[in-house]
Amino acid sequence: MQKEDVNYLPVVNIQGQPVAIVEAKNVINIVQQEQTEDLELMMGIQQSDSKDLTYLQTSVMDHVRKRIFWIVGLAGVGIISGIIIQSYDDAIAAMTVLALYMPMVADTGGNAGSQSATVIVRALALNQLKLNDWLRVVWKELRISVFIGLGLAAASCAKVLLLSHNVSLPSGVTLKLLALAIALALFLQVLTATLIGAILPLLAKKSHVDPAVVASPAITTIVDISGMLIYFYCTTTILGLS
């Protein structure tokens, strides 16, 4: 209908005889339902039997049942991030400024991964991508992430030099070295988060799972864990705090 600019299409049986007519409004309703379903899946909201109800018509407990599964599950997985941070408590104690930039690295990774996943999920939904295009997708997202990562690394380096010039640092650690370590961690975080965001929807599609399921909430949690590992490994290694 979109390609040929028509409002009606005949439906025929196996003998080629017309049996029904599909109108544009029917297609619009289906597209709307699919988009709503994908949006809810990407936000970690489970489907329920009350699909035809509006937001205000849906009961409070039904909203709770639709949302709580992913929230509780991902909160449990998120404990891993806390375990990683706790394992590096000596490094944080030696240089408390490291705690200041942890949210920046984690949030940036989550945003980069979610953006990548959203683009890939949309491309899969529109049949612009096939599973055998995965190598081209990885190569393209890698190049995109390099440019974004370099820009963010430069910005983070300037941010550290500007905001932390009065911070007391251990002997042998300079502010420029600190800025370099954080910039490198942020760069690697953007690279890995973008690739994770691109690959997970493809893996979901191959496993016959709706790619929208692995988009925002799941990727954010996974990227938070990888981000903490990258951040502390880079900073402790470069700054000699390991």
Side-chain angles (χ1 to χ4, degrees):
M1 287 183 172
Q2 183 177 7
K3 288 181 179 179
E4 303 298 334
D5 193 23
V6 294
N7 293 322
Y8 301 92
L9 284 177
V11 180
V12 298
N13 60 19
I14 194 169
Q15 286 82 28
Q17 300 169 332
V19 294
I21 293 178
V22 176
E23 299 181 54
K25 63 180 182 180
N26 301 129
V27 177
I28 292 172
N29 290 336
I30 295 171
V31 170
Q32 186 178 35
Q33 292 173 12
E34 286 293 321
Q35 289 178 338
T36 300
E37 180 181 333
D38 285 349
L39 182 61
E40 289 182 342
L41 288 174
M42 291 174 68
M43 291 296 104
I45 300 175
Q46 288 185 299
Q47 302 300 297
S48 69
D49 296 331
S50 58
K51 290 183 179 180
D52 296 330
L53 300 181
T54 65
Y55 169 80
L56 292 177
Q57 291 172 336
T58 305
S59 68
V60 171
M61 292 311 299
D62 198 21
H63 276 297
V64 171
R65 283 191 293 269
K66 290 170 66 176
R67 302 184 194 185
I68 196 169
F69 174 78
W70 274 101
I71 297 296
V72 174
L74 294 177
V77 176
I79 295 176
I80 299 176
S81 296
I83 295 174
I84 295 171
I85 295 173
Q86 187 178 20
S87 65
Y88 285 96
D89 57 355
D90 290 340
I92 297 175
M95 192 179 297
T96 55
V97 69
L98 292 178
L100 176 63
Y101 296 102
M102 280 166 44
M104 179 182 70
V105 174
D107 291 345
T108 301
N111 292 334
S114 296
Q115 283 185 343
S116 178
T118 302
V119 170
I120 300 303
V121 168
R122 185 62 176 163
L124 288 171
L126 295 176
N127 290 321
Q128 297 173 351
L129 284 178
K130 304 297 181 185
L131 289 179
N132 55 9
D133 293 326
W134 70 271
L135 196 57
R136 295 173 60 190
V137 171
V138 170
W139 173 234
K140 187 165 190 174
E141 289 298 316
L142 178 62
R143 287 178 290 167
I144 294 172
S145 63
V146 166
F147 285 107
I148 295 176
L150 288 174
L152 288 172
S156 67
C157 193
K159 182 179 181 179
V160 173
L161 294 175
L162 181 65
L163 297 180
S164 302
H165 60 278
N166 290 328
V167 173
S168 177
L169 299 173
S171 177
V173 176
T174 64
L175 186 60
K176 289 183 178 180
L177 193 61
L178 174 64
L180 175 63
I182 294 175
L184 177 61
L186 189 61
F187 175 76
L188 294 177
Q189 170 71 327
V190 171
L191 256 66
T192 56
T194 302
L195 292 178
I196 290 173
I199 292 172
L200 281 184
L202 295 173
L203 291 176
K205 182 76 172 179
K206 186 174 180 60
S207 304
H208 306 290
V209 176
D210 193 329
V213 173
V214 300
S216 186
I219 286 178
T220 300
T221 303
I222 294 172
V223 166
D224 280 348
I225 295 172
S226 64
M228 289 298 96
L229 287 171
I230 292 171
Y231 179 70
F232 283 112
Y233 179 79
C234 288
T235 53
T236 56
T237 301
I238 294 176
L239 302 177
L241 299 175
S242 56

